[in-house]
Amino acid sequence: MRNHPDPAAVGTLLRHVLELLDHDVAKVYEEQGLSEYRPRFSPVVRALLAEGPLSVRDLAGAIGVTHSAASQTAAQMARAGLVTHTPDPQDARRRLIELTARAHALLPQIQAEWDATVAAMAELDAELSMPLADLLTEVAQAVRRRPFRQRIAAAYRR
């Protein structure tokens, strides 16, 4: 009996690696007393710090996720008291996501964890044949050039 994903099941393997990394980052937040903070919140925090209040669509673009994923993350962050949703003064149909005072107060801890995570990733990358982010970027570009479903369909026809 194996205790790890089948290397041929790439989707399962990717999820497994993400779970391993995210679990440990979440553990660090928990140890710092930030049990409600999730690793997926950090890109949102960084984008809102850099850009100011953003609509869900603009936030999704800024962090490179789908509209749905950005909306779900913002909702989780709102429940944790880290962001608010306010009407856009330019367009009342849109809502803007903005960091709360609580989020700003947590920034030193969040930044310290982020810096430590970047350093830990650099250490991990040194053990790999190529940096993980470079490989994942390369995969994303290849799949954008020729979607995976097209590759599956071509293989199926052979």
Side-chain angles (χ1 to χ4, degrees):
M1 179 176 198
R2 289 200 300 206
N3 197 8
H4 55 281
D6 176 356
V10 175
T12 301
L13 187 56
L14 281 170
R15 280 187 292 280
H16 181 67
V17 169
L18 180 60
E19 287 169 3
L20 288 171
L21 296 175
D22 269 0
H23 176 269
D24 284 347
V25 172
K27 218 45 177 153
V28 170
Y29 282 124
E30 189 177 313
E31 290 165 359
Q32 291 182 1
L34 299 172
S35 59
E36 291 181 16
Y37 196 87
R38 301 286 173 263
R40 70 187 295 178
F41 295 174
S42 288
V44 173
V45 170
R46 295 171 71 75
L48 294 175
L49 283 172
E51 310 275 336
L54 294 170
S55 68
V56 172
R57 173 176 285 122
D58 292 340
L59 178 61
I63 64 175
V65 300
T66 64
H67 184 279
S68 176
S71 180
Q72 290 173 12
T73 301
Q76 289 177 335
M77 292 178 74
R79 285 191 295 277
L82 299 172
V83 298
T84 58
H85 294 79
T86 57
D88 183 340
Q90 307 297 317
D91 182 350
R93 296 169 297 177
R94 290 183 354 153
R95 315 251 319 140
L96 295 178
I97 300 163
E98 185 172 7
L99 294 174
T100 62
R102 178 172 188 250
H104 282 281
L106 294 174
L107 285 177
Q109 282 180 281
I110 293 167
Q111 186 61 50
E113 186 285 326
W114 181 262
D115 293 344
T117 298
V118 169
M121 196 66 228
E123 179 185 322
L124 178 59
D125 281 343
E127 296 177 32
L128 304 175
S129 59
M130 72 183 300
L132 183 58
D134 291 353
L135 176 60
L136 294 175
T137 299
E138 195 175 318
V139 169
Q141 290 169 347
V143 172
R144 276 195 289 276
R145 281 192 305 272
R146 184 167 181 229
F148 201 54
R149 81 172 180 291
Q150 289 178 4
R151 296 166 192 264
I152 293 169
Y156 190 65
R157 286 190 295 272
R158 285 184 228 140

